[in-house]
Each structure stands twice: as structure tokens, then as C-alpha cells.
Amino acid sequence: MSRTTLKDIALELNISVSTVSKALSDSYEISEATKKTVQEYAKKHNFHPNKLARSLKIGKSNTIGVIVSNISNTFVSQILDGIQIASQQTIYDVIFMQSREDERVEKNCIDVLRMRGIDGLMIAPVSSGSNIEELKDLIKAKIPVVIFDRINHKLDTFKVGVNNFQGAYNATQHLIQQGKRNILHITGKNLGVAEERLSGFKAALSDAAIPFNEKHYIECSFNSTIDLDKSIREIIIKEYIDHKNIDAIFGATDVITTRTLGILAELRIEVPTEVAVIGFSNTQIAASLNPALSTVVQPATEIGEIATKKLIDTINQTRPIHEFETIELPTQLVVRKSSL
């Protein structure tokens, strides 16, 4: 069956296409009787407006693009929940895409969303400088960009995330207070939040007069979970099983922290008796793991909501914006058995 169009309704009701369009938009120019007739006919014949045609006409799609690393990540899914909560209170639809921690995939996402005619973009960038020229081009084309989560990206725009320095400092300080001095810090290669979390880690060590050991800072690739697990397993075998050089592990991300706990179990290394574990993780099952996982929890849903509102406010601005703010929300340290 062919799709009902504005022209079909106009011909059937013997009125103009313009009148049909205005009636469906509840325009004050059209009488209540005509609006009722048109709207009832449209509903009966399953009419749905062509948003693309309308966006071409008015130069606005009422659509926002969102690029994240991986939707399967608990932290990311909580941010997306916040984005959806905020967007449902507006006229904006949302298109979600995944970069999968690959700059080339991220560039393709940006290109696809721009071709789809988005009014604005929210992005958690792959790295601190990834696709910066493409993002600048969007802004030049009057398509605002808001960066969330990985807020150390070099683009000059609004950014919403957490105080990564303080979160890492608090986690490291907690391990030190438990008597740990040889702490392995595992992070992601080119990860957008790695630098600030490393700074917090180093600062906590320095305040406790513990020298920073470069061998205890490891960057792992996120290209595949197989490669990630291999890297984590190799460093644990080398630094603990072979040399007993570590007594605690601080994971910089959700994925790293939870997978580290699993690998320690595979290697029959007791947590926290032999090696304590803590890390950034928003997984809702942290308390159900064995042992229960100590975590730095980020207000993910709030990040999504604030970033969405900030982007929509920017889209609706009538004057150019020259000063941008970076919003850093506080994290929460949740101590459980894995680090005690």
C-alpha cells in the first residue's frame, strides 16, 4: 500500500495542501472545524508527516546526534538514559551512534549525522584530539557541539563531565590508607580521561611520599576485549606472580576494573588479601561481585541530562557564543570488600 501524503488528503477533502499542512500543525489560521476534519482523516488513514521534507523546508530537523564509545558499557548506557530523559521534554529526536574507540569510525559517525541534517551534536571523543577539524567544521556550519565525559578534548566548546582528578585522587588515597604502596594503575590507550586520572593518581602518591613508578602505569588498547584481557593478564603475571611488585590495582574505566577482577580470579589471586582492587565503575552489580567491588561512581545520568540541556540551549541561542564553560560534577567513592 502506498503512503498517504498531504496531497492525497487535500484531494480527498477538496482543500489546498497548504491548508492540510496548517491544520495538522494546529495553526490559528485554520478553523476548528477544518482542523478536526483533517486530523480525523489523517488519523484514520495512518498519516505520518515527512520530517525530512519539513526539515528541508524550514532548515531545521529537530534532531540531535550523539556519539558514544560503546552502548554496551554500563556507564555509557546510564548517560544515554539521561540524554533520553532530557530530550523527551523537548521537540528534539535523538540519533545514537558508536565510535567503538576508533577515530575512523568516529569520523564516519560525524559525517553520517551531518548528512542526516542534525541541529547539534553531543560526543564523548575517542581521544583528546580526535577529529577536531571535523568538529570545528560543524560549529562553523552553525551546528553546535557539546562534549561530555571525556572533557579534556581540545575543542573549545561546552563540556560536561566529572572531576576526574579528584575521583582518582580519592581512590588512590583510599588504597594508601589501607597500607598499599605498590599500586598498579591500568588505563586505556589514548583515553580521553586518562591524563586527569593519572594526575590524581600521582598527586595522591606524592602526598603520601610514595614515588611514582612508571612500570606501574599501563595503557591498554580498547580495540578488542581479547587484546585488553591479554594486556591486563600479562602485566598482572609479570608484576605480581613473577615478582610480587604490586599490592593493589586501580582501574581507570568501567571495563578495565571489572575485567581485572575477573582475571585475578582466573589466576587464583585472592582479592583483597593478596591484591586490592578499586576503580572507576558504574556497574550496578558491583556489590554482587565476589568480592564486592570498590568503585568511583560517576553521576552518569546527570551528565547526560545536563549535556542535552546545554546543547539545546546552544541551538536556540540567537547570538554567537564566545565563552564556554566546563562543568565538572563530583564523583562518589563507594568502598567495598575488594579494597579493604
Side-chain angles (χ1 to χ4, degrees):
M1 294 176 63
S2 60
R3 177 177 174 176
T4 301
T5 66
L6 291 176
K7 188 175 180 180
D8 293 333
I9 299 174
L11 288 171
E12 184 65 28
L13 300 179
N14 197 28
I15 56 179
S16 70
V17 172
S18 175
T19 298
V20 173
S21 178
K22 290 178 180 179
L24 291 172
S25 300
D26 202 25
S27 170
Y28 70 91
E29 299 177 58
I30 308 300
S31 70
E32 292 301 319
T34 301
K35 280 194 277 189
K36 183 179 179 182
T37 300
V38 172
Q39 290 169 5
E40 286 180 350
Y41 183 91
K43 184 177 180 180
K44 181 179 177 182
H45 291 81
N46 243 358
F47 171 79
H48 297 284
N50 187 330
K51 286 191 174 184
L52 179 59
R54 177 171 174 77
S55 68
L56 291 172
K57 182 179 179 180
I58 66 174
K60 201 168 185 289
S61 67
N62 292 335
T63 302
I64 292 169
V66 178
I67 302 175
V68 297
S69 56
N70 195 318
I71 291 173
S72 65
N73 182 294
T74 303
F75 171 64
V76 172
S77 65
Q78 290 170 2
I79 289 180
L80 296 182
D81 188 43
I83 292 171
Q84 187 167 11
I85 289 170
S87 65
Q88 284 178 336
Q89 301 169 20
T90 72
I91 60 172
Y92 290 90
D93 296 325
V94 183
I95 302 174
F96 298 114
M97 298 192 74
Q98 302 179 91
S99 67
R100 299 193 178 278
E101 304 292 1
D102 187 319
E103 287 194 25
R104 293 169 299 178
V105 176
E106 181 181 80
K107 180 182 184 304
N108 182 63
C109 291
I110 295 170
D111 293 340
V112 168
L113 290 170
R114 184 170 185 175
M115 287 188 288
R116 291 290 296 270
I118 57 170
D119 295 327
L121 174 69
M122 287 185 284
I123 181 172
V126 170
S127 66
S128 62
S130 63
N131 292 299
I132 189 165
E133 294 305 321
E134 284 74 12
L135 296 174
K136 285 181 178 179
D137 286 343
L138 285 182
I139 295 174
K140 288 177 185 176
K142 302 189 185 309
I143 303 172
V145 177
V146 168
I147 289 174
F148 64 90
D149 180 26
R150 300 171 178 185
I151 54 178
N152 71 329
H153 195 275
K154 298 173 184 176
L155 186 72
D156 189 20
T157 189
F158 289 110
K159 299 171 183 177
V160 183
V162 300
N163 189 326
N164 287 294
F165 175 93
Q166 193 63 48
Y169 183 96
N170 293 344
T172 309
Q173 184 184 58
H174 165 70
L175 291 174
I176 294 169
Q177 289 171 346
Q178 302 306 306
K180 310 303 179 183
R181 297 186 63 83
N182 298 300
I183 305 168
L184 174 64
H185 181 33
I186 307 176
T187 190
K189 190 173 294 183
N190 298 320
L191 187 66
V193 294
E195 187 176 340
E196 284 299 303
R197 292 180 184 178
L198 175 60
S199 296
F201 175 68
K202 285 181 173 180
L205 293 177
S206 177
D207 287 350
I210 300 173
F212 171 68
N213 185 344
E214 289 187 3
K215 293 180 180 179
H216 288 171
Y217 176 67
I218 306 300
E219 294 183 344
C220 300
S221 171
F222 275 117
N223 289 339
S224 76
T225 54
I226 294 174
D227 291 341
L228 179 61
D229 287 353
K230 182 182 177 183
S231 298
I232 295 173
R233 187 176 287 104
E234 285 177 352
I235 188 61
I236 291 174
I237 290 172
K238 178 182 177 183
E239 292 299 312
Y240 182 77
I241 294 179
D242 292 347
H243 301 294
K244 295 292 189 293
N245 281 341
I246 60 171
D247 52 21
I249 298 174
F250 168 40
T253 74
D254 229 327
V255 176
I256 287 173
T257 306
T258 52
R259 297 190 84 84
T260 295
L261 199 61
I263 290 168
L264 287 168
E266 289 175 17
L267 296 173
R268 299 184 183 278
I269 298 172
E270 291 190 17
V271 177
T273 310
E274 296 178 272
V275 176
V277 178
I278 194 171
F280 278 78
S281 182
N282 273 44
T283 178
Q284 295 174 343
I285 64 168
S288 302
L289 296 172
N290 188 19
L293 179 62
S294 294
T295 60
V296 178
V297 178
Q298 303 175 77
T301 303
E302 191 177 353
I303 291 171
E305 290 187 46
I306 293 174
T308 304
K309 291 173 183 176
K310 183 63 66 175
L311 179 62
I312 292 172
D313 286 346
T314 307
I315 292 171
N316 293 329
Q317 279 288 337
T318 56
R319 296 180 180 178
I321 300 173
H322 301 293
E323 293 186 5
F324 301 97
E325 65 175 328
T326 295
I327 300 172
E328 291 185 312
L329 303 174
T331 58
Q332 179 186 6
L333 179 64
V334 180
V335 177
R336 299 187 181 94
K337 188 176 180 181
S338 72
S339 64
L340 291 174

